[in-house]
Amino acid sequence: MPFATTGTIAAIATAIVPQQGSVGIVRASGSEALDIAKKLFHAPGKQVWESHRILYGYIRHPQTQELVDEVLLLIMQAPRSYTREDVVEFHCHGGIMAVQQVLQLCLEAGARLAQPGEFTLRAFLNGRLDLTQAEGIADLVGAKSPQAAQTALAGITGKLAQPIKKLRADCLDVLAEIEARIDFEDDLPPLDYEFITAEIQKISLEINRILATAEKGELLRTGLKVAIVGRPNVGKSSLLNAWSRSDRAIVTDLPGTTRDVVESQLVVGGIPVQVLDTAGIRETEDTVEKIGVERSRKAAESADLVLLTIDASTGWTPLDEEIYINVKGRPLILVVNKIDIASLQQHYPEEINNVVKTAAAKNQGIDALETAILEKIQSGKITAASLDFAINQRQGAALTQAKSCLEQVLLTIEQDLPLDFWSIDLRGAIYALGEITGEEVTESVLDKIFSRFCIGK
C-alpha cells in the first residue's frame, strides 16, 4: 500500500508493556505538530517555548480540561529534527493507558496515525538520510548482538553509502566520456578504449568486494540456528543448560524427558545463536514423544549447524549411526558428552573431523564447543568475516544487477559495437547503484523497505 506522506503524523515511539517501563513517548511530526502540542500541553510558570528545549507540565483534555498525565515536552523545530519537519515528543509515564490517551488526543487534535516507518521515510524524502542509512536504522533496532549493532551503525554513519556513491560517480564519469564522443565526435580526441575498459574493471572489482559482505550481513541480522540432536539421554538438555547458563531444559536420568524443541538465545563470538534442544530421536509408541521426535528431525533439517551429541560412556551406537546418516549432509560438529564418566575408547566415523568433548553436567567443554563453532563459521562453511559494513539482500540484488550491466559493457566493447550500446548498459549500472542509496527509487521499493519498520520509527 503506497505511503501517504502529507499532513501531521503521530505514533507511540516506545515499546509499551503493561506495568513495565518508566517512560512512554508519543511523537508527532509535521507542520501542525507544534500547534497540537499547544492545544494539549500546559506548562506552569514562564517556561519558554523554543526549539530543542524540554518543558515540564501536564496534558489536559482540550474540551474538559481533565488532567490526563504529567509529562515532559520536547520541541524540535524544522530542519533540526529527525524528519526535518517540526517534531514534538510527549514523554509520559510508562504503561499503556497514559500514552494511549495522549496519542488519541493528538489524533483528535488533527494528526493522523503514522504508518510503519513513516517517520524515517520522511527523513529520507526530506534529504536527511539515504536508503542505506534508513535500512541501518531498522537493522539497529533489530540487532541481536553487539557486532550486529556495530554493523548497523556503520550503515547509519554512511560507511556503506560512501563507496556506493563513489562507484556511481565513477560510472557517471565514464558515461560522460562516452556520450561526449557521441555528441561531439569531431571536436574531441578519440576515446581511450583501454582507459574505459580499465575503469569498468576497477569498478567491477569494488562491487565484488562489497558483494562479499552479503552473507556476513545475513548471518549478523538473522543469527545462526543450531540444533542439538541425538538419541535419548545423551545429555542434550544438560548441554543446553550449561551453554546458556540457565535451567531452560528439564534434566533427568529418564530417556525421553524432552518432548518438544526447547529454544535458547545466545551470542557466540558476536554472532547471535538460536540453540534448539530437541527431543531424543528414537522409535517410540508414545504419541506425544513421537510428535517431539518428528519436530526434532525438522529442526535438524532447518538448522544452519547440527551438534550431534553422543554418550561417551556408551560409545557410538547403531542409533547414533542412524541419526548421523540423516544429518551428515548438514554442517556438523560431533559432541562427545559425559567424558567425566567415560571408560571406553571412543570410536566414530573417520569422516567426522569436528569433534568436541564435554561434560555438560559439570560445565566442562563449553568454551571448546564455542571455539569449534567459530572455526566452522570462519572456514566459510557457515559464512562470517570481520568487515566494516555488510549489505542486505536488497542491496546485494542491486549490486549484482550493476555488475551484470558492467560485464555487458565490457562484452560490447570487445565486440566493437557502437558507443550508443555502451551507454545503454552503463546507464543500467548507474540506475542499479542509485537504487541502493535512493538516488533512483520507486514507490514500491520504498513501500517494501519502510513497511518493515515499527509504527513509531
Side-chain angles (χ1 to χ4, degrees):
M1 180 179 178
F3 282 93
T5 54
T6 58
T8 298
I9 55 174
I12 298 172
T14 48
I16 302 301
V17 181
Q19 300 177 346
Q20 295 184 30
S22 60
V23 177
I25 298 174
V26 175
R27 175 184 295 153
S29 177
S31 58
E32 298 179 26
L34 198 55
D35 290 336
I36 290 171
K38 289 179 178 179
K39 290 177 184 177
L40 305 180
F41 181 79
H42 296 261
K46 297 182 179 179
Q47 301 179 63
V48 180
W49 287 65
E50 62 183 20
S51 186
H52 294 78
R53 178 181 288 271
I54 296 177
L55 306 182
Y56 163 78
Y58 302 90
I59 296 290
R60 293 185 181 276
H61 194 288
Q63 277 76 48
T64 66
Q65 294 302 302
E66 179 183 357
L67 180 64
V68 175
D69 194 14
E70 179 186 34
V71 305
L72 297 177
L73 173 65
L74 174 59
I75 302 170
M76 294 169 282
Q77 290 182 277
R80 296 171 57 207
S81 72
Y82 181 68
T83 60
R84 283 195 173 166
E85 301 174 334
D86 286 347
V87 173
V88 296
E89 290 184 352
F90 301 99
H91 292 231
C92 314
H93 286 94
I96 292 179
M97 292 311 302
V99 288
Q100 286 189 337
Q101 288 184 82
V102 172
L103 174 61
Q104 184 59 37
L105 289 177
C106 288
L107 300 180
E108 292 174 3
R112 64 169 174 81
L113 186 64
Q115 298 179 54
E118 190 171 355
F119 289 97
T120 304
L121 173 62
R122 290 188 175 201
F124 164 71
L125 294 175
N126 292 328
R128 184 182 177 276
L129 304 171
D130 67 29
L131 275 190
T132 64
Q133 292 172 307
E135 289 173 302
I137 289 169
D139 289 340
L140 182 60
V141 172
K144 299 177 182 178
S145 71
Q147 279 72 11
Q150 286 299 313
T151 302
L153 281 169
I156 293 172
T157 56
K159 286 188 177 180
L160 173 58
Q162 290 167 8
I164 297 297
K165 288 179 178 179
K166 185 179 186 308
L167 288 172
R168 188 169 185 270
D170 290 344
C171 286
L172 284 168
D173 288 342
V174 173
L175 180 64
E177 288 290 320
I178 294 170
E179 292 194 333
R181 268 62 181 191
I182 295 173
D183 296 333
F184 308 104
E185 183 178 6
D186 298 334
D187 302 324
L188 294 172
L191 189 64
D192 188 337
Y193 281 43
E194 290 185 1
F195 170 78
I196 296 296
T197 300
E199 282 295 296
I200 293 174
Q201 289 173 337
K202 183 177 73 173
I203 294 168
S204 295
L205 284 174
E206 178 64 10
I207 288 177
N208 285 336
R209 184 185 75 83
I210 299 173
L211 276 170
T213 70
E215 291 180 334
K216 165 68 172 178
E218 187 64 19
L219 185 61
L220 287 175
R221 274 182 283 271
T222 63
L224 186 70
K225 183 183 288 187
V226 176
I228 306 174
V229 302
R231 56 188 170 85
N233 214 34
V234 296
K236 299 184 299 298
S237 296
S238 295
L239 182 63
L240 173 65
N241 289 343
W243 194 4
S244 62
R245 297 174 180 83
S246 69
D247 295 325
R248 295 296 301 275
I250 299 172
V251 178
T252 74
D253 293 331
L254 298 174
T257 302
T258 302
R259 298 299 186 94
D260 203 349
V261 176
V262 179
E263 180 181 322
S264 189
Q265 301 290 339
L266 306 173
V267 175
V268 177
I271 305 298
V273 176
Q274 178 188 15
V275 185
L276 307 175
D277 170 29
T278 65
I281 298 176
R282 65 172 178 175
E283 294 299 323
T284 177
E285 296 303 318
D286 185 302
T287 303
V288 176
E289 187 179 355
K290 189 179 292 186
I291 295 171
V293 169
E294 182 58 30
R295 289 182 178 179
S296 297
R297 290 194 173 101
K298 289 182 178 179
E301 291 172 2
S302 65
D304 302 306
L305 175 65
V306 172
L307 303 183
L308 174 57
T309 307
I310 66 171
D311 185 342
S313 65
T314 59
W316 186 266
T317 70
L319 184 51
D320 293 325
E321 178 70 26
E322 183 180 334
I323 297 170
Y324 171 62
I325 290 171
N326 290 325
V327 300
K328 68 178 183 179
R330 307 204 62 75
L332 181 143
I333 295 174
L334 178 64
V335 179
V336 183
N337 193 32
K338 303 185 182 181
I339 58 169
D340 53 320
I341 60 174
S343 59
L344 300 174
Q345 182 69 27
Q346 305 305 321
H347 299 283
Y348 30 80
E350 292 182 358
E351 66 264 27
I352 301 179
N353 50 26
N354 294 105
V355 181
V356 176
K357 296 183 178 181
T358 65
K362 294 188 176 181
N363 295 319
Q364 295 175 9
I366 302 303
D367 289 344
L369 176 60
E370 292 192 348
T371 299
I373 290 172
L374 291 174
E375 288 175 353
K376 198 82 170 175
I377 291 172
Q378 290 160 2
S379 71
K381 294 178 181 177
I382 306 171
T383 53
S386 177
L387 300 167
D388 289 337
F389 57 80
I391 60 173
N392 61 28
Q393 188 177 36
R394 182 193 74 86
Q395 296 158 357
L399 278 169
T400 301
Q401 178 62 30
K403 178 185 173 184
S404 177
C405 289
L406 292 175
E407 289 172 349
Q408 188 60 42
V409 175
L410 293 175
L411 182 62
T412 301
I413 294 174
E414 185 179 325
Q415 295 174 342
D416 200 26
L417 293 174
L419 295 182
D420 300 81
F421 289 86
W422 300 22
S423 64
I424 291 172
D425 291 309
L426 197 51
R427 286 184 180 278
I430 292 167
Y431 184 87
L433 292 170
E435 280 189 318
I436 298 173
T437 57
E439 291 165 285
E440 305 280 355
V441 70
T442 63
E443 188 173 290
S444 62
V445 170
L446 293 180
D447 185 45
K448 184 175 181 180
I449 292 172
F450 289 100
S451 63
R452 298 187 298 113
F453 283 62
C454 59
I455 287 179
K457 196 59 183 170

